[in-house]
Structure formats: structure tokens, C-alpha cells
Amino acid sequence: MASNRRLPAREFTVVAPGKSAWITMLALTVLLPALIWIGVALSHDSAELFPAAYFILPLTFAVPLFLLACMRRRSVTLQDGMLVIRATLYTQRIPVQDLDLAAARILDLRAHREYLPMLKSNGFGLPGYWAGHFRSKRFGKQFVLLTDRSRVLLLPQLGGRQILLSLEQPDALLKALKAGQN
């Protein structure tokens, strides 16, 4: 008799972004607003600056802080036959049976450059951090959550799209996916 009991979700840790991603975010959250304010102050008379400040001030702080919060949103979960990937503004729910696990493998993207995301179609990209929808030079559509190029789990989907994930233990997710498909 089959059990209708739900299995607990299993979380797989995403590799934390490196220094280059955080330095870029620091520049966006501190330096860019400062440069905007200096530019506005130098190009306007102080009487004209005050009304503009009501609009510009909140945006120069809100947008970078929003981007920083987005960058912190990253997770990979396996639950009830679904692979759930949360990356910045994007959430993908992929049924395990839609994955071509026979072709799945762990790659070093520094050696397999043909899999690198090249063209961002709807994504978030910083040096050392890519999330969202991209296209590779050779293989077409990809959904990526990449923070480290050295150990990337490549999960091809049956429809031709690829998923690229930077996980601390990519082999653990691959093993769990294969176990869940049996």
C-alpha cells in the first residue's frame, strides 16, 4: 500500500558568492549613490536641488539595498519530486522527471567554457554571481545560479534547456535526484 505521507524538504547549500561579487555590490550600494548625489549637487542650483532630492534620495538608497537583498536570496531544495531553485528574483520549480539525469554531471566551467552563460536574457549578473535566465554560446537556454565556476552541477532538462548550479556538495543533489527518480 502506497503512503501519501509527504517527505521533508531537503536543502542543498549554495556556494556563497566570492569577494568580487560583494565588492561590486559595495560599489553599487555606496559609491554609485555618492556619485549620483555629487553629480546632482554640482549640476543644479541649490534651490532646484531640494525638490529633486525628494525623488532621488530614496531611489539612490532603495535600489542598491533591494539588489543586495536579492543577491542574498539563493537556495536549492528537493521536495516531493520537485527541484525548487530560488535565485534573486527568480524561482524555478522543476519536476524531477523532466531532468535528463543520465546526462547530468559535475563540471569545472573554467575547463568547459562552452557551458558558460554568455547572453543574459532575463537575469542578474555580477562578477562572480549569475542568477536567472541566460543562453550559452553552444547549448542554448539555461537557468543558472552560479557563484563558483569550479564545481558546477549541470542538469539538462528533457526539453533541451540546462540548469547550472554552484553547490557546496553537487554530488549530494545528483545522488538525491537519481534516488528520487527510482
Side-chain angles (χ1 to χ4, degrees):
M1 187 163 155
S3 171
N4 289 335
R5 202 177 83 210
R6 296 188 84 166
L7 295 173
R10 185 159 175 211
E11 185 90 21
F12 297 88
T13 306
V14 177
V15 175
K19 287 180 185 177
S20 60
W22 292 114
I23 289 170
T24 303
M25 280 307 298
L26 178 66
L28 287 173
T29 57
V30 176
L31 297 177
L32 185 62
L35 290 174
I36 290 171
W37 271 101
I38 290 169
V40 168
L42 291 176
S43 65
H44 286 79
D45 184 14
S46 61
E48 293 175 9
L49 178 61
F50 191 73
Y54 283 117
F55 177 72
I56 295 172
L57 179 63
L59 285 179
T60 58
F61 292 105
V63 171
L65 290 175
F66 173 74
L67 293 175
L68 184 60
C70 287
M71 190 172 150
R72 294 179 52 89
R73 184 180 182 263
R74 54 186 189 277
S75 68
V76 176
T77 307
L78 183 60
Q79 182 176 22
D80 298 325
M82 296 287 283
L83 180 63
V84 181
I85 306 165
R86 290 179 181 86
T88 64
L89 300 173
Y90 310 97
T91 299
Q92 294 288 295
R93 289 177 173 77
I94 302 136
V96 173
Q97 70 262 17
D98 289 354
L99 298 172
D100 182 4
L101 296 177
R105 61 188 177 277
I106 299 167
L107 300 171
D108 182 343
L109 291 182
R110 297 171 297 184
H112 296 277
R113 298 183 60 77
E114 67 272 17
Y115 291 99
L116 279 172
M118 298 299 284
L119 179 64
K120 180 174 31 173
S121 53
N122 184 5
F124 185 93
L126 296 173
Y129 186 86
W130 301 272
H133 303 273
F134 289 77
R135 291 185 179 269
S136 72
K137 194 175 203 176
R138 203 170 137 203
F139 296 101
K141 293 181 181 180
Q142 300 174 316
F143 184 81
V144 305
L145 176 50
L146 291 175
T147 55
D148 177 16
R149 293 182 186 189
S150 66
R151 285 183 43 87
V152 174
L153 178 58
L154 167 69
L155 294 170
Q157 286 185 271
L158 295 175
R161 188 174 80 146
Q162 298 175 335
I163 299 164
L164 297 171
L165 302 171
S166 293
L167 301 172
E168 287 187 7
Q169 297 179 337
D171 47 342
L173 175 57
L174 187 54
K175 184 178 177 181
L177 288 168
K178 287 181 179 181
Q181 216 177 36
N182 295 332

